Amino acid sequence: MLAVQLAALLAGDSGNAGDGAGEALALLDGFDDALVHGLARLADERADAVTALAAAFAATPLGDRLAEAADAVVSGSITQEHLRALAGGRVALSGAVHDALLESLDTALGRERAEWPAAPDGPGTAGDAGAQPAGNVLGGVRSWLRELAITGWRGVDHDLVSAADQVIEALLAAPDLHRLAVLLDGFAAELRACCPIGPAEHLPVRRWADLWTRALLLSQDGVLTGEPRSATTVSGRLLALGVDVHEHGTAVQFQVHAVLEPAGGGRSRLVRTSVTVAKVDTIVGPALWKLAQRHKVLLAALADGRSVEITDMPLLDSGDLVWDDDRAFVSKPADPLATARLCLPGALAPAVPPLDRVPVRIAEPVLVEGYKVTKDGSFDLGGTVLAVDAERLPDCGPLTPKLVAASSACVGLVRWDAGRWTLQPLAVQAKVKREAVVAATGDWALGPTDPKAAKAEARAADAVTVLRERAGRLLRR
Amino acid sequence: MVPPVQPRKLAKVPFVELADGRLQGVVSSGSDIGRVYVSSIAAGTHNYNCSTNNNRPCGGLYGSPCKHLRALVAEAVVQYGADRVARYLRVEVPEGEELADCLGGAHEPAPAAVVFSRFLRHLAYLEVPDTTLPIPELHWFPATGTVS
Ligand SMILES: [Zn+2]
């Protein structure tokens, strides 16, 4: 990312996502505030906010259904169908914000993005055969989400949170619904940690409304059971740019951003490949990699800084490679900064699936260099300042705010967070004791190379052993 | 977001949580490897209970908290930090004093089965198969570095 590109991104409309996006965000704020107090207790202005959300769609095919839903909810009749319509409206609004943001980012970067292929038939028709048992479980999810919406965040108590446990357990037993289980588990744990929620407590209003909406969307029949969409298979050389780590109490996702150079030539593409493992809250830090050790080739490539040759690996339209260790082998050394320098500029970015058009999912790999680090750790690029999100540095890798502040080049993900663009570092080139080093979030995939971290890891790895022993003794009695 | 917990040794107290209005958890028996104790302290009242997972009362409760309850509090402080535990239990800890010494409360029977089944559910996560399909929802849950 050049200074002029950053300046273009932060200047003018794109910095605040444009006027239309501003209006959409205001409508979201109104609706999200209604969820704070619960749809059963809509005071005048909160009822107006629900009506306003619906009114924004008056001229669209969604208009009638949304208007009807808003009227019903305001008058106290809150059915699943009404909630689905309102959530649909909220999804459409954040989708519009997402599109405006991503377009301004792509334009600033000069990045070309693939088109989402038109669906040959309606969504979700593929998995209908298995939809019936899922339907019962999903009905349970929808009931719980309805209770939440009626009660509002301020009314959430231990009983309401605990009611999610059974639902999540049933979801975990159905592989098709795993994604929803992971989402609900993280959401419920947050509500639990805040319980009982006092009247004065500051709440993550947008975030919880996002999670609620997302869960409601995924709990509709056919949305998850219809996935994944058709995939092609690809072969070629995979060059990692870095690992984005996502984590809550019971799950961790290692999401590798990489450039794929197709075998036999052709245009390089930006891809991701992910491994998600279940965990418990007491397993943290470098020990997390242990849970993913089944994927030896991927972890070895990350730890040793090497490229990977892949053969016939499935690639989803979303740009996600479905990792399979059996179709990959570790190849020549490859440094993420060199990869970013040489391969990022011409690579084709993947299309965004319609359901995933949410601002939080924007995570575009870029290379930044030639910056000065400001006092608060931001990067000053020829007078334009890009905020560095050091809070997203995972503790299962060697990147620290200090190392990032000592860096001269950085591969990171551009994100849009709380109304501004930020950079989440994935790999840096820095000087440590006068020696140039390259450090990346995936360096410890085969175990920490730093002695202090290695000691902490030994302690945490012991946690996995203890819990496995307890599980062996107590679970199967 | 939920503040990250600190790593700790799990052999003695494999499970601790702040949930359902209690600090509750599971403590391994020192003498019988197949036995565990379920210990809990209620927020506000600080009434406590300790029993085996089969609901047999703990022999160590002689009008004061047993060693299992003391271990539970100590490990909760490591895992969550003293402040978070004190806030949850609603206990004032004067400067220089230990949280465990500031709890009043009396013995009050509480159901062990619920806590024990939550522990089993906790253990069952280690048996959930991994997946290489993307989970876009996890973008809402960034990894956060713990202070170390
Ligand atoms: Zn006891």
Side-chain angles (χ1 to χ4, degrees):
Chain A
M1 180 182 235
L2 306 172
V4 51
Q5 296 175 323
L6 177 62
L9 180 64
L10 300 188
D13 279 355
S14 46
N16 48 26
D19 288 346
E23 270 166 46
L25 288 169
L27 287 168
L28 287 183
D29 282 338
F31 180 76
D32 296 355
D33 186 50
L35 286 179
V36 172
H37 304 273
L39 299 182
R41 276 175 299 275
L42 287 178
D44 286 348
E45 77 269 28
R46 293 200 289 273
D48 291 348
V50 173
T51 311
L53 174 88
F57 291 89
T60 75
L62 283 175
D64 287 348
R65 229 178 340 133
L66 261 165
E68 191 192 316
D71 284 349
V73 166
V74 166
S75 64
S77 147
I78 306 163
T79 66
Q80 299 286 4
E81 211 172 317
H82 298 143
L83 290 179
R84 183 173 64 203
L86 290 173
R90 200 183 174 282
V91 166
L93 282 175
S94 44
V97 175
H98 165 275
D99 293 356
L101 288 167
L102 190 61
E103 205 195 317
S104 63
L105 181 56
D106 282 345
T107 305
L109 294 175
R111 186 161 290 176
E112 195 188 335
R113 187 168 298 280
E115 291 282 332
W116 183 253
D121 43 21
T125 48
D128 279 355
Q132 210 37 49
N136 295 335
V137 181
L138 293 175
V141 176
R142 293 194 294 261
S143 306
W144 184 69
L145 292 170
R146 178 172 171 268
E147 282 304 309
L148 268 186
I150 290 174
T151 310
W153 312 135
R154 296 259 180 237
V156 168
D157 61 10
H158 295 300
D159 289 343
L160 183 48
V161 178
S162 297
D165 288 354
Q166 259 188 318
V167 178
I168 293 165
E169 211 163 328
L171 288 173
L172 280 169
D176 277 352
L177 307 179
H178 189 218
R179 259 173 75 182
L180 183 52
V182 169
L183 169 62
L184 276 190
D185 222 359
F187 185 22
E190 275 187 37
L191 294 173
R192 188 187 301 278
C194 295
C195 245
I197 296 173
E201 207 161 326
H202 175 78
L203 301 179
V205 176
R206 169 72 58 72
R207 175 181 172 78
W208 284 358
D210 268 354
L211 297 177
W212 178 85
T213 307
R214 187 73 183 172
L216 197 76
L217 175 75
L218 295 189
S219 70
Q220 302 303 315
D221 293 329
V223 169
L224 283 180
T225 45
E227 282 197 313
R229 288 178 48 112
S230 62
T232 49
T233 57
V234 289
S235 304
R237 188 161 71 134
L238 195 66
L239 299 146
L241 292 162
V243 190
D244 179 20
V245 184
H246 308 141
E247 181 187 359
H248 65 49
T250 59
V252 59
Q253 174 166 253
F254 302 102
Q255 187 159 75
V256 181
H257 288 257
V259 175
L260 172 70
E261 294 181 337
R267 187 168 181 185
S268 303
R269 355 179 22 161
L270 274 171
V271 296
R272 291 173 300 257
T273 192
S274 314
V275 175
T276 300
V277 289
K279 67 177 206 81
V280 296
D281 57 356
T282 40
I283 302 175
V284 291
L288 291 172
W289 291 107
K290 284 236 153 96
L291 301 171
Q293 65 189 354
R294 189 164 76 80
H295 308 278
K296 288 193 285 291
V297 176
L298 184 62
L299 299 197
L302 292 172
D304 300 340
R306 284 170 179 275
S307 62
V308 183
E309 295 293 335
I310 59 170
T311 310
D312 296 335
M313 204 176 281
L315 177 67
L316 306 180
D317 290 337
S318 57
D320 290 286
L321 266 182
V322 184
W323 187 259
D324 180 350
D325 238 40
D326 293 338
R327 297 169 195 232
F329 64 87
V330 176
S331 183
K332 295 185 187 115
D335 152 6
L337 289 130
T339 297
R341 235 166 250 138
L342 297 173
C343 311
L344 205 44
L348 179 68
V352 181
L355 289 182
D356 293 347
R357 292 162 50 233
V358 279
V360 75
R361 189 178 167 279
I362 295 175
E364 280 301 305
V366 294
L367 169 72
V368 189
E369 50 191 339
Y371 46 81
K372 272 191 286 211
V373 180
T374 66
K375 264 194 200 128
D376 70 348
S378 302
F379 290 168
D380 182 333
L381 205 55
T384 313
V385 177
L386 179 59
V388 171
D389 190 349
E391 278 177 20
R392 274 184 182 255
L393 294 174
D395 61 355
C396 58
L399 289 199
T400 58
K402 213 174 130 193
L403 192 59
V404 173
S407 68
S408 57
C410 175
V411 178
L413 297 175
V414 175
R415 288 186 174 276
W416 195 71
D417 185 37
R420 62 173 188 166
W421 292 105
T422 62
L423 181 73
Q424 172 192 348
L426 300 179
V428 296
Q429 190 178 321
K431 265 208 173 122
V432 178
K433 292 175 193 154
R434 290 202 202 148
E435 264 190 63
V437 296
V438 170
T441 44
D443 284 355
W444 293 353
L446 291 179
T449 45
D450 169 81
K452 196 175 141 217
K455 218 168 137 195
E457 194 233 7
R459 199 164 55 219
D462 181 54
V464 180
T465 316
V466 168
L467 292 174
R468 290 231 160 99
E469 184 275 330
R470 291 280 86 181
R473 211 170 277 281
L474 298 167
L475 272 183
R476 280 167 287 279
R477 271 212 308 226
Chain B
M1 277 175 280
V2 184
V5 306
Q6 293 297 314
R8 60 182 184 86
K9 287 209 158 107
L10 299 182
K12 224 159 74 181
V13 185
F15 180 56
V16 170
E17 64 171 0
L18 299 169
D20 302 336
R22 285 185 295 268
L23 162 61
Q24 55 194 21
V26 168
V27 184
S28 302
S29 159
S31 52
D32 178 351
I33 194 161
R35 192 197 299 160
V36 293
Y37 289 87
V38 175
S39 310
S40 64
I41 298 168
T45 66
H46 306 156
N47 285 343
Y48 52 84
N49 188 47
C50 184
S51 65
T52 66
N53 50 324
N54 303 319
N55 251 332
R56 268 185 230 119
C58 168
L61 287 173
Y62 298 107
S64 67
C66 59
K67 62 181 180 185
H68 308 118
L69 280 157
R70 296 203 147 257
L72 177 75
V73 173
E75 292 299 303
V77 167
V78 177
Q79 181 164 327
Y80 296 111
D83 284 352
R84 194 165 151 204
V85 178
R87 217 176 325 126
Y88 194 87
L89 290 179
R90 279 172 269 146
V91 53
E92 288 286 328
V93 184
E95 183 108 19
E97 283 189 42
E98 295 286 320
L99 191 149
D101 299 325
C102 304
L103 298 165
H107 177 220
E108 178 186 48
V114 181
V115 181
F116 189 65
S117 68
R118 287 182 58 81
F119 175 50
L120 294 184
R121 186 169 168 259
H122 183 80
L123 291 178
Y125 276 102
L126 297 177
E127 317 210 324
V128 174
D130 64 16
T131 176
T132 55
L133 285 170
I135 304 190
E137 290 67 39
L138 279 170
H139 280 267
W140 269 286
F141 299 90
T144 48
T146 56
V147 225
S148 59

